[in-house]
C-alpha cells in the first residue's frame, strides 16, 4: 500500500463512519425511549398491584411481561394460600400463554445450619443395593442438599435473584446466585402438580411431510422422485425457492441443506453469525411468497435464527408451506452427498418402524424424540401412570431450569497442569445419555429440608440420596484434595458453571443425587456435604422403554454400517445411527422446557425508521434493511415439560464422566470395571467436553461398544503445548483425531 492508497482508504473509512453515526444516534434514541416506556410500565404495574382485586395474570397480559415479573414488582400479588392450594384453571388458550398462577415474591434469607450427609460406601466397594444405582443414575445445545441458601424467588431467568451473602470466586469475580425454595409454608406451596396438565399418549398420528435434500454448493437436489442439478445463483432464499419449486411438487414441505451453508454467505460483514443468518432469512422473496405466519396444531410458524442450524419457514398462498433446514440438526453429513443423506433418513425410518408402527420423522430430532416418547406412555386401563405423568409446578420447573446444568465443559490450564504435557488423548463416551435413562423421578416430589433430613435415620438418608433427587448443598472440599472438581457451582455469567477444586474451599450449590453420591463415595476421598434443602421423587422408569427402543435401533444401524456390501448404504447407516443419538439427546433436552424465546424480524421503514417491535421484546440486531427482536415468553403450559427427567440424566452423565461402571467386568473383583477422570492421575486432566475427557496420559479402559463405554477418539503420544484457549483446544482435538486415524490404518 502506498500513500495514495492509504489516503483513499481513510476517506472511505470516514464515509462508513458517517453512515454509522446516524444509525447509532437513532438506536440510542430508540433505546432511551424504550427505557422510559419500560419505567412507566413498571410504575403502572406497581400502582395497579395495590388494587385489592388485582390479579397478576391480567396485569401481566396487559403489560406484555411474565407473571413472575409482575410479582417481582408487586409482591402482594404472590401466593397467599395454604400449601398445595389449587390454582385457577387454565384458560382455553393456555397452550400459548404462561400459567397464570401466582408466584412467590423474592426475599433474602439467612443461612441455616446444614444437615451432614451420611458416609456412604465408596463406589469401588459396592453393596448389593448399590449395583443397580451403578448401572445408571440419571447425557445434541449446560447434588446433595445444603442448608445455607442465597436469595429465594420464583426461579425464572427473567427475575433478578439476590443473596444475603454473595459468593466470590477465588479470582475475585462475584458468582451468580442460585435461587432457593422459600422457607416454611411459602416453599411448601411450590410442591404440587399443575392442575389439568399431564403427559398422555396421543390418539392421533403425525402428518407426513415430503422432504428434499439440497447441496447449495453444487446445486444437486434429491427427492423421492429423482435428482437434478439446479442453478442456484448465490443461493439466496428467493433463488432456492424459485429453483426448487420449479422442479419438485408443492407437497415437498422440507428442504434439508446438506452442504453449502448459504445462511453464512455474508458472515464476513457481521460481527456475529446470527446476524448473517437473520439477513439471509429475511432476504427478498419470490412473488407470491411470504414468511409463514400461522400453521396447524403440529406445525410452527416464523423463522428460528440459529447461528449454525437455522430454520426458515415460508408459505405461498394459503396451502403451500415449506421449511429450509440444516441436516446438521440430525447429524454431521461428513461430506455425504444429498442422495446419501436421503438414504440415511430412509434407513432411520426403517429402523424406528420396527418399534413404532406410527413413526413419522418430524422436522428436528428433538420434535421426533418427544413424539416417539409420547407413544410409549402407558395406555392400558389400570396401568400405573395410564392417566398421564403429572407436570410439576411452574416454580419447581423454574428452579430446575436455573439450578440444573447440562454437560460439563471445562478447559484446565496452567498452573493447574504443566505448560508442556507428554501427550494428548481424547476418550469419548459412546451414546452416553442412553446409559442414564433406566430410572427417573415421577409424581409430585417430597420436599426434604435440612431439619427433615437431620431427623431421618442413616438408612433413610441413604435411601433419599439414592432416589431420583435434586439437592441444595453446602460443600466443603478436603484440604489435601489434588484432583479435578466434582460438583458444579454457579460461575459469573448467565447460565455459566464451573467446578471448584481448591482444597478447603466451601461453597453452596444445587446438584442431582447422582453427583452428590459421587462426591460422597468417590474412589479418592469423600467430600463433606451438608444438606440444606432438596426434592425427592418416587422412582419410576418413564424413559426406559423409549430409550431401549432407540438403543436397539442404534445397534441395528451400527451393525448395518459394519457389514453392508455397498459403501453408500454403510455410510447412510452410520449417519442414521448418529441421527438416533440426536433423537435421544435432543429429546431429553425437550423435557427441560426452557422458557420460550421467540425471535422475529421487521423491515425498516422507507427512511430507515425502526418499526415498532412487539410488546415485551428487545432489539437484538440491526441491518441495512431489518431489525431483529427477541422475546422471553416464560414457561408455557406444556404437557411434556419434565425438567426433573432431563436434570437427572445430565447429573448422572456428569457423575459418570468422573467415575462410572463400564460394560466390562473387572477380572479381579467380578464387578463392572470403572472408568472416568478420577481413575487417571491427578494433574493429567486437560479438558472436559460433555461426554469426553482429554488427558495427557493414555486411558487404558475396556471398550465393548455399549452405551457409556469410553472410546479412544484422539491420540498423540508425544509432547504437546497445553492449550489455554478454546481455539488452541480445537486445533489439538482435530490433530489428535487425525493422528489416531493414521495410527489405526
Amino acid at each position: 500500500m502506498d500513500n495514495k492508497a492509504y489516503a483513499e482508504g481513510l476517506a472511505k473509512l470516514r464515509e462508513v463512519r458517517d453512515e454509522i453515526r446516524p444509525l447509532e444516534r437513532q438506536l440510542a434514541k430508540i433505546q432511551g425511549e424504550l427505557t422510559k416506556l419500560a419505567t412507566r410500565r413498571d410504575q403502572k404495574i406497581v400502582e395497579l398491584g395495590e388494587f385489592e382485586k388485582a390479579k397478576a395474570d391480567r396485569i401481566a397480559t396487559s403489560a406484555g411481561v411474565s407473571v413472575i415479573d409482575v410479582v417481582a414488582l408487586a409482591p402482594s400479588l404472590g401466593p397467599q394460600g395454604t400449601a398445595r392450594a389449587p390454582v385457577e384453571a387454565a384458560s382455553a388458550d393456555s397452550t400459548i400463554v404462561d400459567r397464570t398462577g401466582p408466584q412467590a415474591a423474592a426475599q433474602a434469607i439467612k443461612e441455616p445450619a446444614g444437615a451432614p450427609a451420611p458416609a456412604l460406601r465408596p463406589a469401588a466397594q459396592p453393596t448389593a443395593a448399590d449395583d443397580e444405582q451403578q448401572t445408571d443414575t440419571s447425557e445434541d445445545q449446560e447434588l446433595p442438599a445444603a442448608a445455607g441458601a442465597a436469595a429465594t424467588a420464583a426461579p425464572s431467568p427473567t427475575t433478578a435473584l439476590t443473596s444475603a451473602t454473595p459468593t466470590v470466586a477465588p479470582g475475585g469475580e462475584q458468582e451468580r446466585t442460585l435461587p432457593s425454595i422459600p422457607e416454611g409454608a411459602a416453599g411448601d406451596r411450590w410442591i404440587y402438580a399443575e392442575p389439568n396438565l399431564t403427559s398422555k399418549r396421543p390418539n392421533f398420528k403425525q402428518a407426513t411431510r415430503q422432504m428434499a435434500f439440497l447441496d447449495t454448493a453444487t446445486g444437486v437436489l434429491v427427492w423421492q422422485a429423482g435428482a437434478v442439478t439446479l442453478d442456484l445463483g448465490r443461493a439466496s432464499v428467493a433463488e432456492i425457492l424459485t429453483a426448487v419449486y420449479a422442479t419438485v411438487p408443492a407437497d415437498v414441505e422440507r428442504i434439508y441443506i446438506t452442504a453449502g451453508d448459504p445462511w453464512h454467505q455474508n458472515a464476513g460483514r457481521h460481527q456475529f453469525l446470527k446476524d448473517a443468518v437473520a439477513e439471509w432469512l429475511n432476504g427478498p422473496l419470490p412473488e407470491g411468497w411470504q414468511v409463514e405466519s400461522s400453521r396447524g396444531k403440529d406445525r410452527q410458524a416464523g423463522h428460528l435464527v440459529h447461528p449454525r442450524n437455522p430454520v426458515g419457514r415460508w408459505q405461498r398462498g394459503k396451502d403451500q408451506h415449506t421449511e429450509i433446514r440444516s441436516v446438521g440438526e440430525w447429524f454431521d453429513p461428513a461430506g455425504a452427498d444429498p442422495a446419501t443423506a436421503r438414504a440415511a433418513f430412509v434407513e432411520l425410518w426403517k429402523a424406528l418402524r420396527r418399534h413404532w408402527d406410527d413413526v413419522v420423522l418430524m422436522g428436528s430430532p428433538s420434535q421426533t424424540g418427544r413424539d416417539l416418547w409420547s407413544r410409549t406412555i402407558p395406555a392400558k386401563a389400570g396401568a400405573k401412570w395410564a392417566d398421564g405423568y403429572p407436570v410439576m409446578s411452574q416454580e419447581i420447573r423454574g428452579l430446575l431450569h436455573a439450578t440444573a446444568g447440562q454437560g460439563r465443559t471445562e478447559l484446565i490450564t496452567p498452573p493447574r497442569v504443566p505448560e508442556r504435557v507428554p501427550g494428548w488423548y481424547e476418550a469419548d463416551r459412546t451414546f452416553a445419555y442412553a446409559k442414564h435413562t433406566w430410572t427417573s423421578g415421577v409424581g409430585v416430589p417430597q420436599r426434604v429440608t435440612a431439619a427433615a433430613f437431620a431427623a431421618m435415620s442413616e438408612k433413610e438418608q441413604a435411601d433419599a440420596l439414592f432416589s431420583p433427587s435434586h439437592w441444595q448443598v453446602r460443600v466443603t472440599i478436603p484440604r489435601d484434595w489434588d484432583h479435578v472438581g466434582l460438583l458444579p457451582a454457579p460461575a459469573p455469567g448467565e447460565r455459566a458453571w464451573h467446578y471448584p477444586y481448591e482444597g478447603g474451599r466451601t461453597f453452596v450449590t444445587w446438584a442431582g443425587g447422582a453427583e452428590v453420591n459421587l462426591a460422597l463415595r468417590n474412589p479418592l476421598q469423600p467430600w463433606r456435604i451438608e444438606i440444606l434443602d432438596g426434592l425427592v421423587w418416587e422412582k419410576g422408569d418413564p424413559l426406559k422403554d423409549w430409550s431401549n427402543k432407540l438403543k436397539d435401533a442404534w445397534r441395528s444401524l451400527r451393525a448395518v454400517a459394519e457389514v453392508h456390501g455397498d459403501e453408500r448404504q454403510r455410510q447412510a447407516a452410520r449417519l442414521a445411527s448418529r441421527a438416533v443419538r440426536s433423537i435421544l439427546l435432543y429429546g431429553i433436552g425437550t423435557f427441560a422446557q426452557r422458557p420460550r424465546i421467540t425471535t422475529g424480524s421487521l423491515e425498516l421503514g422507507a427512511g430507515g425508521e425502526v418499526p415498532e417491535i412487539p410488546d415485551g421484546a428487545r432489539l437484538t440486531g440491526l441491518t441495512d434493511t431489518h431489525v431483529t427482536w427477541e422475546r422471553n415468553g416464560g414457561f408455557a403450559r406444556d404437557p411434556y415439560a419434565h425438567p426433573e427427567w432431563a436434570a437427572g440424566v445430565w447429573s448422572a452423565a456428569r457423575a459418570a464422566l468422573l467415575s462410572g461402571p463400564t460394560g466390562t467386568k473387572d477380572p479381579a473383583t467380578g464387578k463392572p470395571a470403572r472408568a472416568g477422570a478420577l481413575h487417571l492421575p491427578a494433574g493429567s486432566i486437560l479438558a472436559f467436553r460433555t461426554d469426553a475427557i482429554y488427558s495427557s496420559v493414555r486411558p487404558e479402559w475396556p471398550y465393548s461398544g455399549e452405551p457409556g463405554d469410553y472410546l479412544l477418539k484422539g491420540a498423540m503420544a508425544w509432547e504437546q503445548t497445553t492449550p489455554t484457549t478454546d481455539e488452541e483446544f480445537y486445533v489439538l482435538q482435530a490433530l489428535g483425531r487425525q493422528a489416531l486415524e493414521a495410527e489405526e490404518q
Side-chain angles (χ1 to χ4, degrees):
M1 177 181 292
D2 55 20
N3 289 337
K4 181 179 179 182
Y6 179 70
E8 291 175 349
L10 290 176
K12 291 180 180 178
L13 186 60
R14 287 192 291 271
E15 291 176 4
V16 175
R17 176 201 64 193
D18 293 340
E19 291 179 8
I20 290 174
R21 281 180 173 172
L23 292 175
E24 289 178 334
R25 288 193 294 270
Q26 186 178 4
L27 184 58
K29 180 181 178 182
I30 292 171
Q31 290 175 332
E33 292 174 353
L34 184 61
T35 300
K36 290 178 183 178
L37 288 172
T39 301
R40 283 174 52 193
R41 178 198 63 201
D42 293 348
Q43 290 172 344
K44 199 65 180 175
I45 288 173
V46 173
E47 292 174 10
L48 293 171
E50 295 174 354
F51 179 52
E52 61 180 7
K53 295 183 179 181
K55 299 290 185 182
D57 58 323
R58 295 196 63 186
I59 294 176
T61 301
S62 298
V65 298
S66 72
V67 173
I68 293 174
D69 293 330
V70 171
V71 173
L73 292 166
S76 62
L77 299 180
Q80 306 296 326
T82 58
R84 300 197 189 184
V87 297
E88 185 176 329
S91 60
D93 60 349
S94 60
T95 56
I96 57 171
V97 299
D98 290 342
R99 184 180 66 82
T100 57
Q103 308 296 303
Q107 53 179 306
I109 67 171
K110 62 182 183 296
E111 247 187 60
L120 300 179
R121 185 182 296 270
Q125 304 171 15
T127 64
D130 186 38
D131 287 343
E132 182 183 20
Q133 181 71 14
Q134 289 182 17
T135 304
D136 258 316
T137 41
S138 6
E139 202 187 262
D140 66 276
Q141 83 167 346
E142 333 176 45
L143 320 190
T152 91
S156 165
T158 62
T159 305
L161 298 170
T162 58
S163 171
T165 55
T167 303
V168 178
E173 293 184 277
Q174 183 171 309
E175 296 178 344
R176 285 183 303 116
T177 297
L178 297 179
S180 304
I181 302 175
E183 293 180 348
D188 292 339
R189 283 194 288 271
W190 288 22
I191 313 302
Y192 67 93
E194 290 281 2
N196 305 315
L197 192 65
T198 56
S199 304
K200 294 184 178 181
R201 192 177 188 130
N203 56 7
F204 65 93
K205 181 179 178 179
Q206 296 287 359
T208 302
R209 316 288 180 200
Q210 295 298 317
M211 310 173 191
F213 298 83
L214 176 65
D215 182 336
T216 59
T218 63
V220 174
L221 174 72
V222 176
W223 76 107
Q224 187 177 21
V228 296
T229 300
L230 304 177
D231 181 0
L232 298 176
R234 296 191 66 251
S236 67
V237 171
E239 288 166 319
I240 290 175
L241 292 177
T242 299
V244 168
Y245 285 105
T247 307
V248 304
D251 63 356
V252 171
E253 295 191 44
R254 289 193 190 119
I255 303 170
Y256 281 108
I257 305 300
T258 63
D261 295 346
W263 38 79
H264 291 161
Q265 58 188 225
N266 290 326
R269 295 174 46 192
H270 299 277
Q271 183 178 1
F272 301 106
L273 276 180
K274 285 185 71 171
D275 293 337
V277 172
E279 180 184 30
W280 184 83
L281 289 171
N282 292 305
L285 295 173
E287 184 177 354
W289 286 89
Q290 65 183 48
V291 176
E292 192 169 58
S293 56
S294 63
R295 301 192 81 177
K297 225 177 167 183
D298 61 339
R299 308 186 185 187
Q300 295 177 309
H303 302 322
L304 171 63
V305 184
H306 186 279
R308 299 196 181 278
N309 295 317
V311 181
R313 300 183 178 98
W314 297 270
Q315 66 184 70
R316 179 162 57 178
K318 294 183 178 180
D319 299 324
Q320 184 177 354
H321 303 268
T322 194
E323 293 179 333
I324 295 180
R325 314 184 70 115
S326 169
V327 79
E329 293 181 86
W330 294 85
F331 48 73
D332 178 359
D337 58 30
T340 304
R342 182 179 180 275
F345 274 74
V346 172
E347 291 300 314
L348 173 63
W349 181 85
K350 288 162 60 178
L352 297 174
R353 182 75 167 73
R354 290 198 295 270
H355 299 288
W356 286 277
D357 291 340
D358 52 357
V359 60
V360 171
L361 298 182
M362 302 181 71
S364 70
S366 59
Q367 293 170 326
T368 304
R370 188 168 75 169
D371 183 66
L372 293 178
W373 171 78
S374 71
R375 297 172 193 279
T376 65
I377 298 173
K380 186 177 180 180
K384 193 169 187 180
W385 309 113
D387 293 332
Y389 292 104
V391 173
M392 298 299 94
S393 69
Q394 179 169 303
E395 291 87 351
I396 294 178
R397 284 182 282 144
L399 177 75
L400 289 167
H401 169 71
T403 61
Q406 297 186 39
R408 181 169 182 167
T409 299
E410 184 179 16
L411 183 63
I412 300 174
T413 58
R416 289 181 62 186
V417 291
E419 293 185 356
R420 300 279 294 177
V421 290
W424 171 270
Y425 301 92
E426 175 188 0
D428 183 73
R429 296 185 73 212
T430 298
F431 204 13
Y433 283 10
K435 177 76 172 175
H436 305 295
T437 53
W438 69 279
T439 187
S440 302
V442 290
V444 176
Q446 175 188 358
R447 183 184 182 186
V448 180
T449 63
F453 190 84
M456 293 177 175
S457 68
E458 188 169 312
K459 181 181 184 305
E460 289 172 332
Q461 290 178 340
D463 287 344
L465 291 173
F466 276 110
S467 295
S469 51
H470 192 62
W471 301 96
Q472 188 184 34
V473 292
R474 184 188 293 116
V475 183
T476 301
I477 304 174
R479 290 195 176 277
D480 55 349
W481 184 260
D482 65 351
H483 219 294
V484 297
L486 304 184
L487 297 177
E494 184 181 0
R495 299 290 297 165
W497 300 89
H498 65 163
Y499 296 80
Y501 62 91
E502 304 89 350
R505 181 177 176 186
T506 296
F507 61 96
V508 172
T509 191
W510 283 87
E515 288 166 291
V516 174
N517 273 282
L518 187 281
L520 291 167
R521 319 187 295 137
N522 75 79
L524 301 181
Q525 186 179 6
W527 284 23
R528 176 177 170 79
I529 302 294
E530 296 174 79
I531 301 299
L532 304 177
D533 213 338
L535 299 170
V536 179
W537 282 268
E538 175 186 345
K539 285 184 180 179
D541 56 1
L543 305 179
K544 187 176 180 179
D545 185 33
W546 172 71
S547 176
N548 284 343
K549 290 177 177 178
L550 290 176
K551 284 187 283 189
D552 183 75
W554 172 77
R555 290 189 182 100
S556 68
L557 288 166
R558 282 165 59 95
V560 171
E562 292 292 329
V563 302
H564 202 288
D566 182 80
E567 173 55 30
R568 169 168 284 177
Q569 287 303 115
R570 287 201 300 271
Q571 185 179 14
R574 282 195 296 270
L575 296 178
S577 72
R578 299 297 292 173
V580 173
R581 177 185 178 276
S582 296
I583 288 172
L584 186 136
L585 177 72
Y586 296 119
I588 288 171
T590 63
F591 292 126
Q593 199 238 4
R594 291 170 178 78
R596 295 170 303 157
I597 303 297
T598 305
T599 61
S601 62
L602 293 168
E603 192 171 357
L604 297 177
E609 298 87 359
V610 176
E612 182 178 350
I613 63 176
D615 291 341
R618 66 182 183 89
L619 286 174
T620 58
L622 178 64
T623 69
D624 294 340
T625 59
H626 287 77
V627 293
T628 56
W629 53 266
E630 181 177 277
R631 179 168 57 186
N632 186 331
F635 293 94
R637 279 182 57 85
D638 182 351
Y640 299 119
H642 291 285
E644 66 275 18
W645 299 347
V649 172
W650 295 335
S651 173
R654 290 194 300 268
L657 203 59
L658 300 169
S659 179
T662 65
T664 304
K665 298 290 185 181
D666 184 336
T669 65
K671 299 289 184 180
R674 301 186 72 84
L678 296 183
H679 299 275
L680 293 173
S684 68
I685 307 301
L686 305 177
F688 294 97
R689 284 296 187 276
T690 308
D691 306 329
I693 299 171
Y694 298 81
S695 67
S696 59
V697 299
R698 190 179 188 116
E700 300 293 346
W701 298 326
Y703 181 74
S704 60
E706 286 300 302
D709 282 358
Y710 282 93
L711 173 66
L712 191 67
K713 291 186 68 174
M716 290 187 287
W718 54 88
E719 191 174 84
Q720 304 290 331
T721 299
T722 303
T724 58
T725 65
D726 284 344
E727 290 76 12
E728 293 172 354
F729 165 82
Y730 287 117
V731 168
L732 281 183
Q733 182 191 62
L735 291 175
R737 293 177 179 180
Q738 293 170 11
L740 181 63
E741 185 178 351
E743 175 187 318
E744 293 176 341
Q745 287 178 349

